[in-house]
Amino acid sequence: MDELAIIGVGMHPWGKWGRNFVEYGTFAAREAIAEAGIEWKDVGYISGAITVRNGYPGYVAGSTFARALGFNGAQVSSSYSACASGVTALQIARGQILSGATDVALVVGADTTPKGFLKPNEGDRPDDLDWLRFKLVGATNPVYFGLNARRRMDLYGATSEDFARVKVKNSRHAVHNERARFTKEYDVDDVLQSPVVSDPLRLLDICATSDGGAALVVCSLEYAASLGHRDPVRIGGLSTVTPTYPDTMIDLPYMATDSAGATPEPLRGFKQSIGDKVYAEAGLGPDDVDVAEVYDLSSSLELDWYEQLGFCAEGEAEQLLRDGVTEIGGRLPVNPSGGLGAFGEAVPAQAIAQVCELVWQLRGQAGARQVEGARVGITANQGLFGHGSSVLVRR
């Protein structure tokens, strides 16, 4: 697969601003376009990541952002894949560029979230599994995070202190990130003394919901060179895979797993397959990765990603963390941005924000949170209903 160049990135700071999400997205888009060194009229494709929960005009995010920036005749699309929406939007933009339909594309996502847990819109929808899990058993997102954490404890001997160490590490990174919402540094006692939300996870183990926006300007390597971008950060691989039947791991928003009684389980689980696809497409492997941004909806989920992306064997994630491998200054820093624990979840923007952070890292523009010598970075993310999401970037 031919590579793309990322020639512009932009991000509205995360917070709880209470304004229309379009404001955050257009802020990020203008920043990315300016950095790319192009004019708005040059953008031939706008790929918007959707926020469905907040209703119209989020349902039509591509044209919403096009109108806010000033209609320029560009083609548009809108993608909804829950937390994976940003990479789905990037995947569509890549297809447009590689097909020759456009030279340069803007990928943008933004969100304004309600206070408290994410929850479905009003109304009865008994055929909607996401609605049912709330209405039948009251299973908010942290319920699933708690189940996952308890599984990790039972299988691998993880402890509450291990989960707290993830938060402590990421908070040390976030202190240096002016775009993050939470920039306070915590210690293990702070985490362990915070209120229990979904046993065994505590308040500081679980990400909040936030407002924010992020954007990328992508193009072919030839177009980048014509603009003077001689050594841009490149997209080496994308993954938007789905699970393979039978999927025997309980996951959002389902209330039961597939049965492996008649059909054997696949050799690789869903989350392992997310990384497998992006590595295969890029022609690289876990040993080539210098820095990673993973979806730490809870601290225990970050540990899972260490194993699922091949950074260590199953059951060894806690030791990787304890040895300092995944902190800035270690062999393979994970979430140098501070992760979701520092940002909070702005659903259609977050996967794009992960790519923004890796671009800054590979350019050497991350300031005090810089991962020295970073040349290859990977993101990992998962959306409701089996949406995989990963991007591998390299310099």
Side-chain angles (χ1 to χ4, degrees):
M1 181 73 72
D2 291 342
E3 294 182 323
L4 291 190
I6 303 174
I7 59 173
V9 297
M11 187 183 296
H12 187 287
W14 259 236
K16 208 69 170 178
W17 312 117
R19 299 193 293 273
N20 191 298
F21 72 91
V22 180
E23 180 177 332
Y24 314 138
T26 53
F27 178 99
R30 289 188 177 109
E31 193 172 77
I33 292 166
E35 187 183 84
I38 61 174
E39 299 293 332
W40 169 236
K41 62 180 176 58
D42 298 326
V43 175
Y45 199 87
I46 303 155
S47 190
I50 301 174
T51 174
V52 168
R53 181 187 58 263
N54 292 307
Y56 292 100
Y59 288 114
V60 285
S63 60
T64 298
F65 291 125
R67 182 175 183 273
L69 291 161
F71 281 132
N72 68 349
Q75 299 186 84
V76 299
S77 63
S78 300
S79 303
Y80 181 66
S81 310
C83 297
S85 297
V87 173
T88 303
L90 180 57
Q91 180 84 288
I92 292 171
R94 180 174 72 161
Q96 292 292 312
I97 292 167
L98 294 183
S99 72
T102 189
D103 292 320
V104 59
L106 170 70
V107 180
V108 56
D111 203 0
T112 297
T113 57
K115 184 178 181 180
F117 296 139
L118 298 179
K119 58 184 179 181
N121 288 330
E122 295 299 325
D124 292 337
R125 295 185 303 283
D127 57 347
D128 177 356
L129 289 175
D130 198 30
W131 180 88
L132 283 173
R133 53 116 172 180
F134 282 94
K135 299 299 182 179
L136 290 183
V137 294
T140 62
N141 290 6
V143 168
Y144 291 82
F145 307 158
L147 290 171
N148 177 275
R150 183 60 66 185
R151 177 182 184 275
R152 184 149 201 100
M153 289 175 137
D154 291 347
L155 287 179
Y156 307 127
T159 66
S160 293
E161 287 77 11
D162 289 320
F163 302 151
R165 288 187 187 101
V166 173
K167 175 65 178 182
V168 170
K169 168 186 72 73
N170 290 343
S171 74
R172 285 201 299 265
H173 298 169
V175 166
H176 306 293
N177 194 339
E178 69 279 3
R179 296 177 180 87
R181 177 180 174 188
F182 303 106
T183 56
K184 178 181 177 180
E185 185 172 347
Y186 294 97
D187 61 27
V188 169
D189 286 341
D190 292 328
V191 181
L192 295 179
Q193 291 170 15
S194 65
V196 173
V197 174
S198 182
D199 186 67
L201 298 176
R202 296 176 175 272
L203 183 64
L204 292 178
D205 286 315
I206 296 173
C207 79
T209 60
S210 290
D211 302 351
L216 307 169
V217 173
V218 293
C219 64
S220 67
L221 296 180
E222 294 75 17
Y223 189 83
S226 74
L227 296 172
H229 298 278
R230 302 299 177 189
D231 185 25
V233 175
R234 294 165 290 152
I235 297 172
L238 285 177
S239 174
T240 56
V241 300
T242 56
T244 299
Y245 182 87
D247 186 2
T248 58
M249 281 284 291
I250 189 73
D251 219 334
L252 280 163
Y254 304 116
M255 293 181 286
T257 66
D258 297 330
S259 170
T263 305
E265 293 182 54
L267 294 177
R268 300 283 284 171
F270 171 42
K271 291 184 180 178
Q272 288 92 341
S273 72
I274 296 172
D276 291 347
K277 169 65 174 175
V278 82
Y279 287 136
E281 194 169 280
L284 297 174
D287 291 342
D288 297 304
V289 175
D290 301 310
V291 58
E293 283 285 316
V294 305
Y295 219 48
D296 57 319
L297 291 163
S298 72
S299 51
S300 63
L301 287 170
E302 177 172 319
L303 295 171
D304 287 346
W305 283 118
Y306 295 177
E307 298 165 5
Q308 290 152 351
L309 290 173
F311 301 155
C312 63
E314 286 190 14
E316 295 181 2
E318 287 77 13
Q319 195 59 50
L320 208 67
L321 175 71
R322 294 167 194 159
D323 290 345
V325 172
T326 59
E327 64 186 46
I328 293 174
R331 176 175 56 82
L332 204 174
V334 176
N335 286 339
S337 69
L340 281 183
F343 276 75
E345 190 177 14
V347 173
Q350 208 72 45
I352 302 171
Q354 289 180 316
V355 178
C356 290
E357 174 66 20
L358 293 185
V359 170
W360 289 317
Q361 290 288 346
L362 269 58
R363 288 176 178 171
Q365 297 174 335
R369 64 181 192 281
Q370 180 65 49
V371 175
E372 293 303 325
R375 303 285 296 179
V376 175
I378 191 172
T379 73
N381 185 303
Q382 176 198 359
L384 287 177
F385 298 106
H387 287 103
S389 165
S390 181
V391 182
L392 189 143
V393 293
R394 58 183 168 190
R395 193 80 187 266

